[in-house]
Amino acid sequence: MNIALPKGRLGEIVYQILEEAGYPCPVIREENRKLVFENQAVGVRYFWVKPSDVAIYVERAAADVGIAGKDILLECQPEVYELLDLGVGKCRMCVAGKRDFRDHRDRTLRVATKFPKTASSYYSAQSRDIDIIKLHGSIELAPLLGLSDVIVDIVETGKTLLENDLEVKETIVPISARLIANKVSYKFKYEKITRLCCRVDEYCRENREADQ
Amino acid sequence: MEQMQSEQTIQRLRELYRGYGYIQYKMSKFEPYDLYVHNKSFLVSKDILTFTDADGQLMALKPDVTLSIVKNAKEGAGLQKVYYSENVYRTSPMTRGFREIMQTGLECVGEIDLVAMGEVLMLAAKSLEIISGDYLLDVSHLGFVAGLLDGGEVPEDCRSELLKRMGEKNVAALGGLCRELGLDPEMTEDLKRLTVLYGPPARLLPQLEEMVRGERMASALRELQEVCELVPEGHLRLDFSIVNDMDYYNGLIFRGYLPGLPSGVLSGGRYDNLLRQMGRGDAAVGFAVYMNLLERLGERETEFDADVLLLYDDKTPVPAVLREAEACRREGRSVRVERCMPEGLSFRTVRKVG
C-alpha cells in the first residue's frame, strides 16, 4: 500500500498517528535524502510530497491513500474517496482584512488568495462579483499594501493576522486533515484500505477522548 | 505496439457486440451545437468545441455519442441495439484544453425489460474480460437510493448535495448534512450504511433487504437480484457510492475497473430520464469504454523497434538485400533495412547483408 504524506508539520503528526495505529516504518525517522520509505513487514510504503500535491498523487493512483488538508480538497476537487476526518491539523478557511476595512457592495471586491476556486465559489454563492488575485505565499501582505481588499486564507491561531493589524471577517469552512483513497485502489485493495481506516479512526477517537 | 494492442481490443469488442446482433452506429465528427447545449449536464465534460459552419450554423465537435444515438433512434420502433467506436472531444479536469478520446460502447433504446438490461450488463462484463481477466464491475441501483430518499421525504433540491457526499464515501460529512437538513435519523443511518457498503452481491443483498421501505426500493432490489445472477460473481461488486446525475439516470448503473489504472474504464447504466427530458416515453440502457485509458495498461514495454536491422552498402546487389530481408520475415521476425544504424532506435540483432 502506497501512502502519500504531506511534507511539513502536519505530515509529522499524521505519521505519528499511522505509526501508533500499527503502520510503523522506522527508516522514515532516519536523517537522509531518501524519498521513499518501505516497511514490508506491515506492507506500507510512505513518501513525502508537497501538501498541495497529495490529492494528485492519490487521484492518479501513484498513492493508494494519502492525507490531505480539507483546504486542498476543496480547491482541487479531486476524484477520490474521502474516508476519514483525522481531526488533526484543525484550522479554518477565512475571509480576513484590515481592521478598519468596510466592505462596499457597490464595488468589485479584490480578493488575494492561494485558493482561487474556493474563494470564487464562496463569493459566487453570494452573487458577488470579485477580482481574484492568485498569490503563492505571504497572503497577509496583500491588504497591507493595498494589493487587495481582503484575503481568503487558512487561519489557525490568528496570530499572524493580529500582529499585522488584520482580523477575520467571515469564516468560510472549518478545515482538518482527511484520509483520502484512490477510487480504483479502494476496490482492488478493499480489505487493506478499510483495515487501515478502521485502525486510524479508532486511534484518533481514543486520543480525542483522552484529551477530553 | 501499444496502438496496435488497443486496435486489437476494439476489433474484439466489435466482434463481441456484433455477435449479439448490435449494429454499428457511425456519425460525423461534428453535429449541430443545439443538440448538446440542451442536454449539457448529461455530458461528462461541460466544455464543447464549437465552430461556425459554411451556412452560419453553430456546430460542435462531438463531445458524446449517446445523445446523437438517442436523438436518431425512432420511438416505438421496437428495440434499437447499436454499438459505436468513435472519437469524442472533451476536456478533462486534470488537464485543461481539449483532448481527442477514443470511446467504444453500445446503447439499447426502446422498451427495456430485464432481458435487455441483463444483456447489456453481461456485455459490459464481457467487454472488460476482453481487456483484462482481472476486472471488477461495480453495480448500483439509483431507484434504491431514490426510494430511500423518498421514504425520508428528502426535498429534491438537497439530493444532489447528498449524492455528492455519497460519491466521496464521506460518511462524516453525509451525516453532518443530514443533521443540518433535519432528516429522519433512521433514514440517515441507512444512507450512511449504504454509502460504505462494498462487496459481492451474495453477501450484501440480504443486508439491503433489511433497508427496504416502500415499493420503489423493493422493485429496485428485485431488479438488482435478477441481473446480478447474470455476471460472474467473482467480478461483481455492489457499490452505492457510484452516483450519476438523477436528472438523466435512473435504475441500474455500473462502472468497470481494471487494476493498475487510476480511474474507471467503463461507465454505463439506465437513462430513461434523459429520454423523458427529450420528450420521449421510451427507455434506454448502455455503456461506454474509455479506450484512451487502456494505453496505460500492461507495462509491457517493447524493448526493440524491430527484431533485425539489416545493413547494406553500395556494393551489395539490390535483390540480395531485399531477398535476405524477406527470408528473415518469413521466419516471423520484423526486419528493417538501412544503410547505417538509425539514431534512437533499437534492434535485437544488427548485421550486414550476406
Side-chain angles (χ1 to χ4, degrees), chain B residues 222-281:
Chain B
R222 270 199 304 278
E223 240 177 63
L224 260 184
Q225 281 163 336
E226 298 215 29
V227 291
C228 280
E229 296 198 350
L230 300 168
V231 177
E233 159 97 313
H235 294 287
L236 202 59
R237 300 283 183 273
L238 288 184
D239 184 352
F240 286 88
S241 78
I242 38 174
V243 280
N244 289 11
D245 193 341
M246 283 202 189
D247 288 340
Y248 295 99
Y249 290 92
N250 61 306
L252 190 76
I253 53 172
F254 47 90
R255 295 268 164 88
Y257 301 92
L258 303 175
L261 292 182
S263 53
V265 290
L266 182 147
S267 173
R270 183 92 185 248
Y271 52 92
D272 304 356
N273 289 349
L274 170 71
L275 279 79
R276 199 165 310 142
Q277 296 221 2
M278 293 172 96
R280 308 168 45 138

Side-chain angles (χ1 to χ4, degrees), chain A residues 60 81-82 182 186-188, chain B residues 94 138 168 170 198 239:
Chain A
R60 294 198 169 226
Y81 288 138
E82 188 181 320
N182 176 270
Y186 180 84
K187 293 164 198 306
F188 285 97
Chain B
M94 286 193 251
D138 284 7
E168 293 168 351
N170 193 344
Y198 188 75
D239 184 352

Side-chain angles (χ1 to χ4, degrees), chain A residues 35-103:
Chain A
L35 297 170
V36 181
F37 307 90
E38 203 172 300
N39 184 355
Q40 284 182 339
V42 290
V44 290
R45 186 188 291 139
Y46 290 106
F47 41 90
W48 299 106
V49 301
K50 199 173 168 185
S52 53
D53 289 343
V54 171
I56 298 171
Y57 276 79
V58 175
E59 183 176 43
R60 294 198 169 226
D64 298 312
V65 297
I67 288 87
K70 183 69 183 171
D71 50 333
I72 308 291
L73 299 179
L74 285 170
E75 186 62 22
C76 312
Q77 300 279 342
E79 269 289 316
V80 294
Y81 288 138
E82 188 181 320
L83 297 176
L84 206 60
D85 183 345
L86 298 185
V88 297
K90 279 191 175 167
C91 50
R92 44 202 177 123
M93 182 74 74
C94 291
V95 179
K98 275 164 84 171
R99 211 164 293 158
D100 55 2
F101 172 72
R102 291 280 159 271
D103 187 5

